[in-house]
Amino acid sequence: MAQTRGGALERAAAVPAETRERIEELKSERDAVILAHYYVEPEVQAVADYVGDSFYLAKLAKTLPQQTIVLCGVEFMGESAKLLNRDKTVLLPEPAADCPMAHMVSRATIDGARAEYGDDLAVVCYVNSTMEIKSWSDVCVTSSNAVKIVRELPQHHILFIPDRNLGRHVAQQVPEKHVILNDGCCPRHEAISLAELRELKSAHPEALTLAHPECTEAILAEAEFIGSTADIIGFAEASAASEFIIVTVDGVLYELERRCAGQGKRFYVTKTPPTCADMDGITLDKLVACLESGSGAVDISVGEDAARAAQRTLDRMLEYAAR
């Protein structure tokens, strides 16, 4: 058995048939599609139409025909979907679900870098950021495409916001660029204990450690593989290894178990499970209530000029990633 919070596959399988039927009825009534991030509860992932990381969901949102997008994720994900689909309704089942890191940069930091480096500076904004912060930036990235995009940018100087850990990882992969780090982080990944990870590695010496680049430098030094949630899932699915230590938010265990079912693979997380309280707040009951009432609508929270600027950063991300 994998080490999960109660067995992710079992929890997903326990979703009542009548709940699934009700969701399908409501989707039809609202012309809605459900998108879910890998970090949300297994029950929510199990009823979603599409499950993925933030890059996949942002890219997918532009292609879907439905008029209503229900985004089972935190606020910045809903904002990104709205910016890319201004004529559609975007609903968040839990509007209070936020990402602390999304706010961890000041305008003064950006203005100071632009004053120092001029046109040879690109402000590269992790998609885990507010709509306003995106509007201050030149291009968005995700953990799936940050290295590729930074490498291809024409500017030599890169201000990477808001996450210092992903920024440091990018700097190590693209040493030809001058990457300036901002002092922001994901509190969930930052809190993962190095001692607990080493204890787990000692208990499972054959296990490969797969870590998200939002983790600290000390944690990443222990990993055999570093990648986004989608990359971690893909690596584990394709690997001949049978044991894996997963160093990211443990909601990803559902998709790992689902994709690797029948392969005899085991997944372990640290003794203090890396959970995200905001993602955990997005429940099946809240998803149903959102579909029933149409609550949780995402609005453009900035002025039109800033909204267009924020949208450009996302469009540029999709353009660079498609090259």
Side-chain angles (χ1 to χ4, degrees):
M1 284 291 292
Q3 292 188 357
T4 71
R5 288 184 287 164
L9 287 180
E10 291 84 352
R11 289 175 58 187
V15 176
E18 55 268 29
T19 301
R20 293 177 182 268
E21 290 168 5
R22 178 60 176 154
I23 288 171
E24 291 303 315
E25 291 172 0
L26 291 167
K27 281 164 48 183
S28 178
E29 290 173 10
R30 289 197 176 275
D31 188 25
V33 60
I34 300 172
L35 312 185
H37 192 273
Y38 288 130
Y39 288 165
V40 300
E41 294 290 298
E43 298 88 341
V44 176
Q45 293 186 53
V47 301
D49 297 294
Y50 301 94
V51 180
D53 63 6
S54 54
F55 174 61
Y56 171 76
L57 297 178
K59 182 172 66 171
L60 179 68
K62 285 194 74 169
T63 71
L64 297 171
Q66 288 86 354
Q67 184 58 37
T68 300
I69 298 169
V70 182
L71 203 299
C72 299
V74 295
E75 185 177 28
F76 78 80
M77 298 176 187
E79 289 183 342
S80 294
K82 183 63 177 179
L83 285 167
L84 293 169
N85 298 273
R86 300 282 287 273
D87 60 335
K88 293 188 178 183
T89 299
V90 178
L91 305 178
L92 290 171
E94 177 45 272
D98 197 5
C99 171
M101 178 172 61
H103 307 270
M104 291 184 184
V105 64
S106 71
R107 181 63 185 263
T109 296
I110 295 169
D111 289 347
R114 290 200 188 279
E116 183 170 358
Y117 297 106
D119 292 340
D120 199 25
L121 175 84
V123 179
V124 176
C125 183
Y126 193 17
V127 74
N128 300 39
S129 54
T130 66
M131 196 178 294
E132 183 179 24
I133 289 170
K134 287 181 177 70
S135 76
W136 304 338
S137 308
D138 296 307
V139 62
C140 272
V141 297
T142 70
S143 53
S144 296
N145 59 36
V147 170
K148 168 183 166 56
I149 291 176
V150 168
R151 181 174 287 130
E152 293 183 7
L153 288 169
Q155 293 88 351
H156 174 65
H157 304 285
I158 306 295
L159 174 60
F160 196 97
I161 59 172
D163 183 21
R164 62 173 177 260
N165 292 317
L166 178 57
R168 184 182 298 109
H169 174 69
V170 170
Q172 291 168 348
Q173 302 303 306
V174 193
E176 66 272 22
K177 299 279 189 176
H178 173 220
V179 178
I180 306 151
L181 301 180
N182 172 70
D183 192 23
C185 68
C186 168
R188 325 305 182 190
H189 287 89
E190 186 89 357
I192 295 172
S193 165
L194 180 60
E196 287 188 9
L197 174 58
R198 287 177 172 168
E199 180 182 351
L200 197 54
K201 286 168 71 75
S202 178
H204 303 280
E206 300 302 314
L208 298 180
T209 299
L210 316 183
H212 195 284
E214 288 180 21
C215 294
T216 64
E217 190 172 19
I219 293 288
L220 296 183
E222 301 282 331
E224 280 76 42
F225 178 79
I226 300 169
S228 68
T229 46
D231 292 335
I232 286 171
I233 292 164
F235 182 95
E237 184 180 21
S239 176
S242 59
E243 292 186 299
F244 304 89
I245 296 169
I246 304 301
V247 194
T248 189
V249 174
D250 65 354
V252 76
L253 291 169
Y254 168 69
E255 187 68 7
L256 281 165
E257 289 185 4
R258 191 186 72 80
R259 295 260 289 267
C260 298
Q263 296 183 26
K265 293 180 176 179
R266 296 171 181 264
F267 303 101
Y268 308 104
V269 296
T270 51
K271 183 169 24 179
T272 306
T275 61
C276 175
D278 287 283
M279 289 289 194
D280 289 349
I282 302 159
T283 65
L284 194 59
D285 287 345
K286 289 177 182 177
L287 171 58
V288 173
C290 169
L291 281 166
E292 287 177 338
S293 67
S295 60
V298 177
D299 296 319
I300 300 296
S301 59
V302 295
E304 185 57 31
D305 288 347
R308 283 197 296 267
Q311 182 179 342
R312 280 196 297 272
T313 67
L314 291 166
D315 287 336
R316 285 174 185 149
M317 175 183 73
L318 298 177
E319 291 165 8
Y320 270 102
R323 292 180 182 179

